Amino acid sequence: MGGCGWRAVGELKQSTDKLSKNRVGAIRPWQYFAHVNRASVNSTGLSQAALDYQRVEKAIAFLTTHALEQPDLSRVARATHLSQYHFQRTFTRWAGISPKRFLQFLTVQHAKQQLLGSKAVLDVTLNSGLSSPGRLHDLFISAEAVTPGEFKTRGAGIQISYGIHPCRFGNCLVGVTSRGVCWLSFLNNGDKRNAVRELKANWSGADISERPEVTRPVAARVFSGLKKESHRPLGLLLMGTNFQIKVWQALLHIPVGSVTTYQAVGGIIGAPKAARAVGSAVGQNAIAYLIPCHRVIQQSGLLGGYRWGEERKRAILAWEAAKAAA
């Protein structure tokens, strides 16, 4: 994807200049969740957030597939079944910046630069250890593991409330307990049934019920990106092996706008030669976004896989990089 891009900047500028008179201001990160929750659901059952993300994902996928051709803005817009104006409007609402500016964060070259820039951050993590709380935007994250008995019974005695909510990266399923968030997954192709099935399979011993009124405030807190956080740390309840939990705790220390490799995560937890096992643990993470497994990529700068789709991983990383650079 190293050559991914629209045609020369001059051509793109001509396209975007035509839209400048009708330019739509970007919705700030903490406004987006409220905006998409106010928006109505269309006849196909998709929320505004799901529609926005669906179109952005199509655009990113189109650019990836046609990178060597360097398609111009109008062609990318057609791939999303929108006019240039409405594509610009949708993309800017979602990304907070124009498509032209967002493009620079999609390339392999940018990912390689991120890896180089993140090394110093990871060195600090290695020196300070993993005892301090992790951070997501301005949220402090605290994590605890289930007891050995709860692990053996897959959550017996634990009550889980779940709900499905729109967010910037499509619809997500959030599961919470009295001890913290235990599940956060994105719905692939809007498949609610499969998402719920995965939750119940992972926590097969728990008492699970759909209660969106309980999970809605949690989803709002995670995805609103509020600058001033007055609440106590957001708790996570982890169920995994000791090795998996070490990996997941290490991921909490990778800040927004940074990426790292499987080998580097292995070094953080004292297992520098266990890249394959680290990759397996990263892939088993069941609390997306909060435990940022999407920030682990290959040494080459290629993204590697992602449980909820590689295009979603690319979209999240580019959006975070744009936010960090703002």
Side-chain angles (χ1 to χ4, degrees), residues 51-119:
L51 281 170
D52 282 358
Y53 176 72
Q54 190 178 79
R55 287 160 175 165
V56 167
E57 187 180 73
K58 278 185 179 180
I60 292 173
F62 184 83
L63 283 167
T64 304
T65 304
H66 300 274
L68 295 179
E69 303 166 29
Q70 296 187 338
D72 60 19
L73 181 64
S74 63
R75 190 175 168 198
V76 179
R78 286 197 301 272
T80 66
H81 307 293
L82 294 173
S83 67
Q84 284 191 40
Y85 167 72
H86 284 99
F87 174 69
Q88 175 93 355
R89 177 190 179 99
T90 297
F91 201 101
T92 303
R93 177 173 61 220
W94 180 86
I97 57 176
S98 68
K100 173 185 170 183
R101 289 184 58 199
F102 192 80
L103 174 63
Q104 64 184 298
F105 302 109
L106 287 174
T107 64
V108 171
Q109 285 86 349
H110 181 265
K112 289 179 178 178
Q113 291 172 356
Q114 279 185 298
L115 284 174
L116 290 173
S118 299
K119 186 178 184 302

Side-chain angles (χ1 to χ4, degrees), residues 27-40 48-49 166-168 219-220 223-226:
I27 294 176
R28 296 177 182 273
W30 57 90
Q31 296 173 324
Y32 190 83
F33 188 89
H35 169 77
V36 297
N37 272 282
R38 287 196 306 268
S40 60
Q48 183 64 59
C167 74
R168 190 180 297 271
F223 291 108
S224 64
L226 289 171

Side-chain angles (χ1 to χ4, degrees), residues 142-146 150 154-155 158-163 173-185 198-200 202-204 206-209 215 218 222 234-240 248 284-288 290-291 307-308:
S142 64
E144 69 170 280
V146 297
E150 290 168 337
R154 307 304 294 178
I158 297 176
Q159 293 186 328
I160 299 175
S161 300
Y162 77 87
L173 189 155
V174 179
V176 301
T177 73
S178 61
R179 292 148 65 186
V181 177
C182 67
W183 190 270
L184 200 166
S185 64
E198 282 190 328
L199 166 64
K200 291 183 175 179
N202 195 73
W203 290 88
S204 57
D207 179 13
I208 302 176
S209 58
T215 55
V218 177
V222 171
L234 183 67
L236 306 182
L237 183 61
L238 312 180
M239 182 161 64
W248 299 337
Q284 291 298 312
N285 172 39
I287 307 180
L290 284 170
I291 298 178
R307 184 171 180 173
W308 298 283

Side-chain angles (χ1 to χ4, degrees), residues 23 27 47-48 107 110-111 114 137 141 166 186 196-197 200-201 208 212 221 224-225 229 231 243 251 288 306 317:
R23 185 171 296 161
I27 294 176
S47 66
Q48 183 64 59
T107 64
H110 181 265
Q114 279 185 298
H137 307 301
I141 306 293
F186 296 109
V196 174
R197 187 185 300 119
K200 291 183 175 179
I208 302 176
R221 185 179 175 192
S224 64
E229 183 57 56
H231 301 286
F243 183 84
L251 299 183
Y306 188 53
L317 283 174

